Amino acid sequence: MKPASSDDIFALAPVIPVVVLEDVETAVPLARALVAGGLPTIEVTLRTEAALPAIERIAAEVPDAAVGAGTVTTPEQAQAAANAGSAFLVSPGCTDRLQGALHDTGLPYLPGVATASEAMAMLERGVRALKFFPAEAAGGRTYLKSLSGPLPQARFCPTGGITLATAPDYLALPNVGCVGGTWLTPADAIATGDWGRIKTLAREAAALRPTT
C-alpha cells in the first residue's frame, strides 16, 4: 500500500503511529499488529540505526502497511529513506534545500512547520499538506484553529504531545487531516513483544475518525 499523494496519507487513517525502533526484528510483528488494529500508515523515525532496515523489512513483508520515514532532516536522509522503500516522508521542520530534496524523491511528504510564516513559505512552494510540530508545545489545538481562517488551504498532521484523550479535539478541526502519536507503540510493549496490546491501542485510535 503506497499513498499516491499527501492527501492519501491523511485519508488512510486518523492516526499515524510514530515509531522508534531499536531492533530490526521487531519491525514486522509491530507493523502487522498496527495494521490488524486498523492503522495501516506507520511512520518509522530515523532516530536509530535500525530505522532504515526496519523500513525495508516492513515494505517487503507487510504489503498492507504504508510505511514512511519520519525525522527526515537532511537531503541525504530523504534519498536513503526512499531507497529503503518508504511510501512517504515526514520532517520535523523544513528548509528550502530539504523541501527540494523531499520533492525530488517523488514521494508524498509532510514537511514540518510550527508557525504561520513557515506554513506560508510551504504554501508559496505549492505544498499544502503539512506536519504541525511540536503540536502541544507550539500552541496546540487553539493555534491550529486560528490558522484555519487566514490559511484555509493548508491541512495539517499535528504531532508532538498528542494522546488518545486529546486526539479527537484535533481531528475535529477542519484543517486537520490526521494526527501523529507515539502512545500507540509503548517502548515496554515493543521490548516484550506485546503485540496484542499494540493491536488494542491501534484499534482504539482507528475508531477516532470523526463522522460526517
Side-chain angles (χ1 to χ4, degrees):
M1 178 183 294
K2 289 195 174 184
S5 68
S6 297
D7 284 338
D8 288 344
I9 299 173
F10 292 148
L12 284 173
V15 181
I16 298 177
V18 179
V19 181
V20 179
L21 290 173
E22 300 287 349
D23 182 358
V24 176
E25 297 305 316
T26 63
V28 169
L30 172 65
R32 287 175 175 159
L34 291 168
V35 171
L39 297 182
T41 317
I42 303 167
E43 177 187 332
V44 177
T45 62
L46 301 185
R47 301 180 187 180
T48 67
E49 292 185 2
L52 288 174
I55 291 170
E56 290 180 349
R57 291 280 295 273
I58 295 170
E61 299 180 40
V62 192
D64 291 334
V67 61
T71 320
V72 178
T73 59
T74 68
E76 293 76 19
Q77 285 181 326
Q79 190 57 57
N83 294 342
S86 293
F88 63 93
L89 305 171
V90 184
S91 67
C94 208
T95 63
D96 288 345
R97 182 167 176 259
L98 178 57
Q99 189 274 327
L102 294 171
H103 175 80
D104 288 346
T105 65
L107 296 174
Y109 61 94
L110 300 175
V113 300
T115 67
S117 293
E118 291 171 359
M120 290 168 63
M122 289 296 105
L123 289 171
E124 284 183 354
R125 299 175 73 90
V127 182
R128 298 185 178 185
L130 308 166
K131 173 178 178 173
F132 179 59
F133 177 84
E136 286 290 287
R141 180 181 180 277
T142 302
Y143 188 82
L144 271 181
K145 184 178 181 180
S146 71
L147 290 181
S148 64
L151 304 176
Q153 67 273 52
R155 295 187 76 205
F156 299 92
C157 173
T159 305
I162 297 174
T163 66
L164 178 65
T166 61
D169 290 336
Y170 281 95
L171 291 168
L173 295 175
N175 58 347
V176 169
C178 65
V179 302
T182 59
W183 83 86
L184 298 142
T185 54
D188 61 332
I190 296 175
T192 59
D194 191 350
W195 311 125
R197 179 183 170 196
I198 288 175
K199 180 180 177 181
T200 297
L201 291 170
R203 186 179 293 115
E204 292 174 343
L208 294 178
R209 174 71 73 192
T211 56
T212 56

